Every structure is written in C-alpha cells, then in structure tokens.
Amino acid sequence: MQCYTELTPPTAVTHSLSLPFLSASANNLVVAKTSLLQIFALKAVLTDTVSSTGPSTGLRRSSTTAPGSSTALTGTLQRGDRTPTTKLVLLAQYELSGVVTSLARVKILKSKSGGEALLVSLRNAKVSLVEWDPECYSISKISIHLYEGEKVPRSPWEPDEDDNVSYLTVDPRSRCAALKFGARHLAIIPFHQQSDDLVMDDYDPDIDGEKLEPKVSQGKGGEEDKLMEKTPYGPSFVVSMLALDPTLLHPVTVAFLYEYREPTFGVLYSQVASSVSLLPERRDTLSYTVITLDLEQRALTALLSISNLPYDIFAVMPLQLPIGGSLLIGGNELIHVDQAGKTNGVAVNEFAKSSTFFSMADQSDLGFRLEGSLIEQLGHESSELLLILSTGELAIIGFKIDGRSVSGMAIRQVSAQDGGSTLLAGPSCASLVGRGRLFVGSEDSDSVVLGWSRKLDKIKRQRSGLGVDAGMDVATPDMSDVEDGIDDEDDDDLYASAKTEEKPKQASSTMDASTQSDDYRFRIHDTLENLGPIRSLTFGKPHKQAKDAKGKGDAGLELMTTSGRGRAGGLTSFRRQIDPRVVESHSIPNVTRLWTVSVTRPLDGLSSERQPEDLDNYIIASTESDGELRSAAYKLTTSGLDEVKDEDFDPDAGTTIEVGTLNNGTRIVQVLPLELRTFDADFGLAQIIPLADEDSMDAAPKIIHASFAEPYVLLVRDDESIMVLRADEGGELEEVEQGASLKRKGFRHGCLYEDSSDVFRLESEVEDEDDAGNVLMFLLTVGGGLQIFRLPSLGQFVYRAEGLSLLPPFLAPEFWRRSQAKEDLTEVLVAELGDATYKPPYLVLRSGSNDLILYQPYHSSLKEETDSTLHFLKIANPHFTKTSSPSFYYDGAEDSGREPMRAISDLGGYSAVFLPGQAPTFILKSATSPPQLINARKKPIRCLTRLNTLKCERGFAYIDQKGAINFAQLPANCRYHTGWVTRKIPFGEDVHALDYHEPTATYVVGVSNQVVFKLPEDETHPEWSLETTSFLPQVEQGTVKLIDHQTWSIIDEYALSPAEVVMSIKTMNLEISEHTHKRLPLIVVGTAIIRGEDLPAQGRIYVFNIIPVVPEPDRPETGHRLKLIAKEEIKGAVTALSEIGTQGFLLAAQGQKCMVRGLKEDGTLLPVAFMDMQCYTSVVKELRGTGLCLMGDAVKGVWLAGYYEDPYQLRLFGKSPSHIEVLAADFLPDGKQLYLVVADANSNIHVLQFDPEHPKSLSGHLLLPHTTFHTVSLTSSITLLPPIPSPPIPSSPSTPSPPYTLLLTSPTGSLSLLTPLTPSTHRTLSALQSHLSSTLPQPLSLNPREFRHVDAAAGEGMAGGMMRAGVVDGMVVRRWMEGGRWRWWGEGGGGEVGGVGGLRGVVGEGLGVGVGGGLEGLL
C-alpha cells in the first residue's frame, strides 16, 4: 500500500504548436511536456544587447530578463542597442492523465473564443478536440475519439497497438484529420467547413469573382444537418492501408499535403522490411505515394507513386508555396518531390553514394548526420528552410525555383559567428510563432525561442528610407498586450510592393542568394528550462553560505542530478526549500516587527528626486520589553544601523502597526494603534492625525491593519470598521468621505492596489474630477464576501462577490450557494506576482489554518454584448502550509495574533508575496510558470520586509527565532519554476554518472565526448587498412572528473580509453588492508568498452582515492587530486556497482555475472563470490546492513539474493514470477514487510513482496506481485531515501519508526515519490481518490484511473491495481482543495478522517510532506 506522487512537473518539451487559440487574432503557442499541456502567449519587450566581435555575445541582465535565466544572444551586433525580443508568457497549464503524442490545429465553423480548435492525440489511439472557453478562461472539451478497442482485422504476427506509436496529421484546410494507429490503420475524422457542398472545380477567385454561398444539404434528411449544427465534426471511420494497396506492408509515416483541392496525404512505406545488414540486396526499398481522400464516399485514390527511394528516409515534410510539394528527409540525403512527381535530391555525406542508386546532387562535403534532425520553413512565404541537426547546429536549405517548379536544392551551414551553434542539443519539435521567430523544443536541452534577421533586408530598408537600425531584426514586434500577441505579419504590408517587384527575380536567383554565408543571423529570445534527462543522482551537502549570528546554520542536503545531453550536459541542484543567503546580521533589542523605508528629498518644493536604484534609508522597528510597547527608527549606513534620536520621533508613542510612504516618497507615514504620524525625509514631524479623543482612548477602536497605495492609506480597526485617508499635494492627510455601506462596518480585512495596467477594468459610476490614478480598495467582509471600491469614490462598491468564502473554482458576482461549508478567511491581499517580463495581479487569501488561496482575475465577454465582466479563476495550489502556533507571534495590537502577508515588489527580480510564521513561505512566479509556494529553510521567521542597499541589492530583511535581524538575498542563479529551488551547472559534456565524496566535499562525475573512430591496424584484418572514407563514425570517450562543490570548477580528471564510457560511480567505504582492516571512503568507477556489434564488450573497474595536495596559486579549491589505487580488466561491461556486506567489499555487475570483490593491498580486486545472471544486468542494490541484494536484468526480471560472509557466497532467494525488462529497482522496507519496486521499459512500476511464509510464494522462491501501475514516462533511477526521525510526541508512550520512501527520476526531468501507507491512511486516500475522480473536471475528459491501470491479462502487469489494495494516485489526491469549499471531502468529520483538519494530515502523510517525510527533512 503506497502512494505515488510527482514532485516536479516534466520539463522536457516533446511537442509544440502555434495557432490563434484564445481569439481569432491571438498568437498562442501550445507546448506539450509528455503529460503537461501548457498554453503561452508571446510578448514583445526591449532588451539591452552588447557589442561583440567574437563568435558569440551575451545578453546583459536588464529589466526584461527573467531572474536566474541564462538567455544568451548569439550573433555579432555592431553596437549595443535596445533590441526587440519575444518572450513567452504562460496563460494556463493542465496536468493530463495521458501522454501526448501529437498536436494539431483545426479551424472549425464556430468556436467559443473565435479562434481555432486544438486536436490532441494520446497514447492508445485517443484523440481529443478542445477549444478555448473565455467564460471559464480554460480549455473546453468538444469531443473525444477512442480507437483503442477498434475491431479491425489484424495479422497474428503484427505487434500490439501499445507497441505502435499513434500520431496525428491534419489537412491544411481543416477538412479532416487522420490518426495513424496500430501497424497500418488510419482513423479519419471529417470536419465541417463552409466549402463542404460547393462545387470547387475550376474555381478561381480572380476569374469567377465572389464565392457562392454554400448550399443546404438535401442528402439524408435533417438529422445530418442537425448534427452539423451541433458538432463541428462528422462521423469518423477507420481504413486499412492494405485496402488501398496490398504493398503498403510497412508504412513509415503519413502527412497531409498542401495545395490540393481534396484532402490529400503522402505515405512513405516499403513493401519489404528495410535492413542495414541486407543493404546490398535491399538498397532502395522505400516508396512514396500521394493519395487523395473522398470524405463522402470514404474512398482513397492514389495520384502518383515514386519507388526505389533510399532506405533511410524517415520523415515527410509538406511544404507551402512558393516551394510546394514535399520534402523527404533521410539519414544521408534530402529529396524534394513536387506535385507532378518530379524529384530533386541532395546528398549530405559520403554514405549517400554507397547506400542508394538514387540520383542526387553531391554536397557530401557537409558531413551532416540527419538522424534526429528537424526542418522548418523560414516563414510561411519563405522559399528557404531551416535545418536543425541533432547536435543543435543550423543550416539553410535553399531552392532554385523556375516559375512554380523546383529545379534544384542547395544547403549551407550557418557559421558559429552568425549563431549556427546557438542551440546546444537536438530538437524534438519546432513551431513558427511569428515572422522571424521560431520556437524550438528539445528533450535534451532548454527549449528556446529562436529569432533571426537577414542582412539583405536591413540594407533594403535603409535604402528605402525606413531608418531601421542595422543592429535590429527584420521584424520589429508590436509592443502590444500579452493577450493580443505579436502581429509580425503587419510588416508584410509595409514592404508588399517591394516584394511583389522582386518575386520574379527571386524565383530564378534563390540559389545565388543562398550561397551567401552571412545573410542570416540567429539569436535566442527566450528559454524554457529543461532539467532532464536525469540519469543519475546523489545527495550532497551544499556550499555553506554566510552564517547566522551564532555561526551555525542547518543547510540540509541538496539533490544533485545529471541533466542534458551533448553540449547541453551538466548537473542540476534541487533544493526543497529556499536557503536565504545572509549578507549581514544586526541586533535590535526585543524587536518584534520591522519595516524599511525609502524616502525622497523634495527639490524646490515642486519635484522630488529618488536616490539611485531606489535604495532604502531607514528601518522602523517595533519592540516589546516587559510588556512595554515601543517603536524605534534606525538609519541605514555602510557601517550598520544608527538609531534616529530626533525629538520629533517619539519611541514611547506605542507599537507601530504599519509604515509606508506617500506623496512620491517624500512623506513617511507611521501607523500607530490610535493615530497616524507623518514625517519628512529627515524624520521631522509633519502631521499627527489622532483617531480618538484623549478622554476616550481606552474605549476607542484600535487600528489592526493598514495598507498604502499612492496617495491613499487604508486603515482597518478592531471594531470591523475602516477609514481611508488621502494625501494632498503638500503631503497632508485628509479623511475620504465614506458612503452608507461602509459606515455599517462588518469588514475583517482589506488592502489597496494601484491598477496601473487596468487589469480589473472597474469604473466607478460617480467620476471624480480630482481622481488620482486607478487605485482599488479590496475589502473582506466578516461574512466572507469580497467588495471592491474604486477610490476616491466610497459611496458604492464597483464589484461584489458574496460567495468568496465558498472558494469556488470560478468566482463571479452572481455566484452564491446555500452551504455551511465556508472557509474562515482572515486576510486578503492583491499583489503582483511575476518577473520583469510579466507580473499580473493575483488575489491572495489567507485562511485561519494558514492556507493560501490564489485567484487570478480575468474578463469574460457576455453573450451578445460587448461589455466584459470581471471573474476570478482559482489557481491550483498543491502546497500544504503547516499551521503556525499563535503563541509564536506577538499578540498585542492585532486580534488575529499573526503577522500579515507582505508583498515585495522586487525580490531578486521577482514580484513576490511572503507569509511569515512557523512555516515561512514565498510565493514566486516567473513569466513561464504558474505561482509557486516554496518554504524558507530559516524557521521560523517572525517578520520580513523588502531591503535594497548597496550591500544587499534587491534583498530582504527578516527577524529570526532568536530575534536577530538578518539582511539576506535569494540564492544566486537559482530558478523556482518547478516549485523547487533549482540551479543548473553547465559542463558542455554528456554526464553519465556522479556521486558525492563527503570527506573532501567534492563531486565525482563521469562524462563523455564524441571522438572519431578509425579502424586500427590489425594483421588478421588486412581489409581494415583499405578504408578510405573521410566521413568516419564517432564513438564516446569517457573521463572521470573531480568537481569542487563551491566553485563548480574541474580540479582534476582521469581520461579513459577511446570507446570506454562510465556506467556507474559509487563512493564506498572499502577495506584497503587485509591485515589492519583499515577502511577508506573510495571512489569506485565501472566502465564499458563498446567497440561495435561484432566485438564483445569489455569493461574495467577503477578505484580512486581523493588525496590532499598543494593547491595551485590563486586556486585554493585545487587542493585535492584523484589517485588511482586499483584497476581491474573485466570480461564484460561493468554496468552497476554497490557496496555489500560488513567487511568493506563491493558488488559489481560485470557481463552476465554479479561478483563480490575485495580490494587487496597490491591494488587488485579479488573475487570472493558470484552469481550467474545469464544476461545483461541493469541494476544491483543492497539493503544496507542486511546482506539482501536486488539484481535486475534486461530480460528475465528481478532477482533477490542473500550475501553470506562465512563462507562467502551469493544465494538466490526469489525471482519475479514473470519477465520484466528492468530499468531501475530498489528495496522499500515497510515495517516488517519487504517490498521490491521495479521499473520496466513500458513505463510501468511493479511492486513485489518477499514473503516466504505466503503459500503462493513457494517458500519465497517467487516474489509476490503486489501491484502494477503506469507512469507518465520511463523511470531512469529509483533511490531509497533514509528515514527522517520524527520529534517525540509527549502524549504517546512510543514514537513510531519513521517510514522509508523512494525517489524516482525520469528522462523528462521530473521527480516522483513513492510513499508507504498505513492501512487506515490507504483506505482514506483511496476513498478520497474515488471522490475526486468523479467530482473534479479532468482535462481533455481523460480518465486518471484508466491511465494508471495496467492490464495484467495482456501480459503487461501483474495482479493488483491502483484501487485494489494498490497504489494511490497522489496526482489526484493532492487536488482535494481545487473544488469549491462545499466539495471538500471529509467536511462532515467522523470516521478515520476527523474532518478537514484531520484530512490535511492524512493527505500530507500520503504525499510525503508530513513530519518525518523523506524529502521534507532531508532536503
């Protein structure tokens, strides 16, 4: 009984699509990251560039650069300038219960948003059609089509449907879509269009004039007409390719083509299976056929066919005009096929000549390897293509066009100076997102928005007097709002006449223009960070930052993983919590709260001037000593804090409630319980505003909260009344007259927000001529309602939502529900969240249990009206905030006894919100991620405020548990888009394995580079010397490197032999002497020497010791070196390593054996015990301290063995009952039960149990299958986390032992957790999962239970399931707070839950975030 939860979302981009989705004029980008669907808008900003004469230049961090990003500009700019840059802005994202295999756009007759619809295909032959719903600001399902159970004739030797990848292709005119599923079946989905019943023969708009209106169908009666009105699609049907042509036995790919009147697609196939080994006999085996589709008759007709194509063609790319036709992409060549069947080919390497007889132009000097490459057209009207190789290098494909016929092709590589090496790894997808902009997704590196400019176009614009600067791109994006997107196509109209005149010349001279090497310049505009693929991980201690006042700090551990491939390779650091970097610490006796103030000195009494970079000048603090409440002011200086001892500032006036500035920063406003005081820049008293008479001070209502927004201040008092004051031009505060509704009181909390961007679009009915800005007042009523006023009008609210406390998914003014299930809301705050690129406002609510609820404002157009109404969308928040103890806070002026939330305008480049308390929490957001709630490691934090000084720029000041004031910053070069603190350390090499060496605080990593492989001289193979090709193959050559954890620099390395790569690295405490039995923590490296298919693999075991040496000058980190103390040649690859036993031995998986070895004093590794595995072993693990060993192979499954030391032997205990292709495995102890968790190659997780007493285990010889469930992607590693002891419970006689947990990683960059559950917790969470699966909306109408289920009858899994004493889906359970408050399960209490409060602990235990949870206490 376990719970599976994904801790971080996948980051590797698999698919992308550009379409007008949110509206007809929008420019949106839809990105699929395996099971995560994200919708982006594009925003144009200006960024600063720097000049460079080298091959590459970089972007300075500017106001539009996301914090922590590593965006770089590639290409030579003549001078620094403000350059238009396209940025991505996340609008919505959805976690899917499925894996996306294709994305396509469909233009339907009528959509809710007016834009196009999105067609998504998933595994197991599922297709979902969705549109954007402006009313709910979310996607809306139109239909879902299932073909998994389609009964189609199939040969008995055909592979199963799950073994065939299903993908989608759509007709360019949206007349139909085709889903390729199974071995050779197509599912055709027709779509209704305006031209369905038009006679299209010989129609030309230039000759025939205006198009006729569509006729009403008179065919089958009114039922079909009604169906066309209700649904945008027609009945789908399934066809077999063999029905069209019996030779279509082995289809390779299918794609719809452009410029055909009927839906027409091209099929690439072969009649016989292609094989490299049979290349002399089966050389040109592929054929390409163009087929037209008659939707009414459901008939397919072949138009043309081309045979004898090279065997290595793997893709068909349809091309728009002016090129037209299709491009066939092979591993060694490119072939263009026009509509008449005319072909033109180009060979890109020497192997093309020897692998095909097809006639092609020779450009073999390029030496390209096209496997894994991707081609995209450089604009919808461009006659050139962009080729992105698997290494990330760029090339331009030019066509020689004579009229409408292509007569030749030419390819040129983009130089590194022009941005040809901008991308670090190969692409997975690409989408045009505007003129001169291309989104390139990748699974091996960061996905980027790639921009380009043409030097020729710049010269033309300068000559025509347009005045475009030479350092800018061709297309200058429109600086419009995010929702409107970027309309780069408007530039086409500016140069339409010039382009029309030049088209005839371009048609005949395209090849000549393409020979220029400097016409295109590429640079990166924006990035989506990818943390995958993760292959290996380890836990290390982070570099110690500045210590606290006592010189101590609990930094915890950091999770270090590998990431990226090739030049994008490196390491990634994961931290569960934010560890502030303390710059300096100060002490103010008995401080309880503090505020920083940045003031401005007025000049000539008319204008004011702020200090450089808006630096803070003062700190105002509240103190408490022996029950006496005081205030103090300190001036921030370079030497520290100097107390302000001015007579105008009275420390005995009482405790300070809030501090702010008004009148453009020239007035400091101090809010006291019964009065307000204003000061000038030198703390000279300017005004005192008493709120009560001296005789009625004790009975007068006291201020408990205040909020500032120029020029207003809002006061909330303990009698549930409010007061608003306004500052005039001289800085004098005057009360704003209230209406009757405000005088009735009944307000718990409130805040002010200056809507400078007019996001809320709220207008007051009574306009004031002296209206100052767009300041809104948000009030939280005692009954849980929300009222919004636009200042200075306080007579009538402009917006009211009384159902706020019900926490509905969509909050609207008309929403109301009779329910007693209301949340106790205590605070409301409207603040901007984001970075400099995009920071929209959010409505942040705080409940009595310290939960944070976020709402995003949006406008929904009313039907048949042009007005818009304000709605709020509830943001999914799986973060669990631990309830703080009220006794921790100062319980004086505030009745709530809690420090309020703080909005911070610039926190390391972020606009953030902070929640103080026992579990201090930051709310951070970037332009490409949703808001993330991340805890701070420094616990507790009494109070926090922004701070900006020369020593602590864009930081914050906080009071820790000891009462010390710390000036701190966010950790440098870190990102927070996954909900974790991540930092990437680039290496520029492929990283295979790593481990941490604790005594020296260093990391040991195994990397590899591609080197050229040439056949050696061998007397037994004299033919090897006859090799004359210059296009040599490449093999990997590994290197073991020692990395310093502080500077992340390489301090030593050990080069391996060619074709030798690192398979495993482990730090082991090995015995180095048989006599003294001395042990040392040594580095053990297992390698594999892979020399080809015809030679057996070999391996080596290296044992290194890290020794101290004299460091190099000016490099103190180089004080350690790798010393080789043992090297053992092995017959077979060393694929896995583990420490075993109590005597300091190691267990190695070598070839087809697992062998226990001991290190001798002479540097040899003596084998003492072994077990024959009979096949490739992928994983070996030992349960520390028990002698139990887990071994997994690639064919048979998992083995459980026991290691004995007297005598030395490995004895088999049990095996898995069925064959499993094991990728990763580990133990999972749960009390007295022992489980084995195994990940296979079908993205399934198997949980096996070792129970010798069970009768079905045959005395333990068979491992009992407990459950099997499906995951989103493959699992690359499984690691057993050590249990974190829980604090003792005074009322409990004994503290239960903490549970073990498993950490799982995947190539998509996501982390997952498998947590064991108690029987009562499992029953509760299983019931909660069933409740949520039936009540919460599921994106794309997918079934989460079906997605996790593995069919045991089909041979994929074993007995058990997600809902039958199996694994609870934590991705469903953690959504328990997404619905309205009346839908929260457990509201009635009772049972084993005990209401919502009890359910919170149960859910936290299941998700591994409770006390004693594996990661909460470890990282």
Side-chain angles (χ1 to χ4, degrees), residues 914-933:
F914 178 76
L915 173 69
Q918 293 282 11
T921 304
F922 289 95
I923 307 179
L924 300 172
K925 181 190 181 303
S926 66
T928 57
S929 71
Q932 302 289 351
L933 279 70

Side-chain angles (χ1 to χ4, degrees), residues 182 190 225 257 263 296 374 414 485 582 688 698 949 981 1063 1075 1209 1227 1290 1363 1406:
D225 298 337
L257 306 179
E296 292 185 0
L374 192 143
V414 181
V582 178
I688 299 179
D698 297 336
T949 63
V981 184
M1063 301 294 290
H1075 305 289
Q1209 63 175 332
F1227 293 97
M1363 298 301 298

Side-chain angles (χ1 to χ4, degrees), residues 656-672:
T656 302
I657 303 301
E658 189 63 61
V659 175
T661 60
L662 293 176
N663 199 23
N664 295 325
T666 60
R667 284 289 187 266
I668 304 174
V669 181
Q670 180 189 18
V671 181
L672 300 172

Side-chain angles (χ1 to χ4, degrees), residues 173 195 197-204 211 261-262:
R173 294 166 63 180
S195 58
D197 299 318
L198 287 179
V199 179
M200 298 298 298
D201 294 339
D202 301 328
Y203 173 76
D204 192 325
K211 187 182 296 185
R261 292 183 175 178
E262 296 293 335

Side-chain angles (χ1 to χ4, degrees), residues 1055-1075:
L1056 304 179
S1057 303
E1060 184 178 11
V1061 295
V1062 176
M1063 301 294 290
S1064 179
I1065 294 179
K1066 296 294 180 183
T1067 301
M1068 302 182 187
N1069 190 21
L1070 299 182
E1071 182 182 279
I1072 62 173
S1073 175
E1074 300 176 78
H1075 305 289

